[in-house]
Amino acid sequence: MTEDEPLVGIDRIRAAARTLAGVTVRTPLVPFGRPEDRRYLKAESLQPIGAFKLRGAYVAIASLGPEARARGVITYSSGNHAQGVARAARLLGTPAVVVMPGDAPRIKIDRVRADGAEIVVVGPSSDERRRVAEAIAAERGLSIIPPFDDDRIIAGQGTCGLEIAEDLPDLAAVLVPIGGGGLASGVAAAVRALCPAARIVGVEPELAADARDSLREGRIVEWPAELVGRTMAG
């Protein structure tokens, strides 16, 4: 790969869409507001797990070879990615371990367990979740399925943008939430490739604006989860 080549391009996103055929839902664009404004919401709540995270999780696990799949996968997440990995692993016949914080919503924990994943409970720190997952992966020979910073995850989440661009070719702008950045990266790659004139706007909470700060400073700026939690609370 050269410096000028994108990490994830439209060909990889289209390949991910083929992998997801029959697994995820091609969710509709639901109009809202005044008809003349032509605004739409991408109804990812209609996915089998209720969120877009199944897209990236399934693509990532499906990309593993037979031996890696047989050994199993592990991830770290407090909710939707955990559900995505658990469901994808079950569909692909792969053992899964999910490291979750003890304060994760009970419904998320129950759904992960219902899909057959082993749950390892840790404290509330996102850094602790990652460290524990990495340690277990090394000990058991498991493949890590990261929540966002991974080209397979980005390609899978990018299928959301691919559907938007295909269903609305005269797209003027797309607003995409920024959490870890997997969805935003994938949607941006797909939309820029197919609708080059469209404006792409990343949206994040003002009190958790690490993406804004990273762009401003030209380096990765991390807001500790504990600081974000305290700031949002008060």
Side-chain angles (χ1 to χ4, degrees):
M1 178 178 292
T2 68
E3 258 186 27
D4 295 331
E5 288 179 321
L7 177 63
V8 175
I10 191 63
D11 289 342
R12 287 198 62 184
I13 294 172
R14 284 184 168 133
R18 292 191 291 271
T19 298
L20 292 171
V23 176
T24 55
V25 176
R26 186 183 181 98
T27 54
L29 289 171
V30 180
F32 73 99
R34 296 181 301 178
E36 60 269 28
D37 289 338
R38 298 197 63 206
R39 297 179 181 177
Y40 302 87
L41 291 172
K42 181 71 166 158
E44 284 296 283
S45 58
L46 298 178
Q47 292 296 348
I49 65 164
F52 69 90
K53 292 285 190 175
L54 180 58
R55 295 176 183 263
Y58 190 92
V59 169
I61 297 175
S63 73
L64 298 174
E67 291 184 3
R69 278 199 222 174
R71 285 193 300 270
V73 298
I74 187 168
T75 194
Y76 43 97
S77 166
S78 60
N80 289 336
H81 180 66
Q83 290 186 159
V85 169
R87 178 64 56 86
R90 179 171 68 79
L91 293 175
L92 290 164
T94 303
V97 179
V98 179
V99 181
M100 303 183 73
D103 60 356
R106 174 54 55 183
I107 190 171
K108 306 286 187 183
I109 294 174
D110 290 344
R111 287 177 176 174
V112 169
R113 185 173 286 117
D115 270 319
E118 174 188 346
I119 297 175
V120 176
V121 178
V122 296
S125 167
S126 57
D127 287 340
E128 181 184 3
R129 292 198 293 274
R130 186 182 69 252
R131 288 195 304 270
V132 170
E134 289 172 349
I136 294 174
E139 178 184 343
R140 302 193 197 177
L142 306 178
S143 297
I144 297 178
I145 308 297
F148 43 80
D149 194 8
D150 182 276
D151 58 341
R152 302 162 301 175
I153 298 293
I154 292 170
Q157 319 301 34
T159 60
C160 186
L162 175 65
E163 293 171 10
I164 292 171
E166 289 177 344
D167 292 347
L168 199 63
D170 60 344
L171 178 69
V174 59
L175 277 67
V176 57
I178 301 177
L183 177 66
S185 299
V187 168
V191 170
R192 182 59 70 233
L194 300 179
C195 302
R199 186 182 180 200
I200 303 168
V201 180
V203 181
E204 64 182 347
E206 183 177 2
L207 299 181
D210 51 338
R212 178 203 62 192
D213 289 355
S214 297
L215 288 171
R216 179 181 295 165
E217 298 190 23
R219 62 180 181 86
I220 299 297
V221 175
E222 296 184 356
W223 285 40
E226 298 76 10
L227 173 61
V228 171
R230 289 197 301 271
T231 306
M232 297 290 281

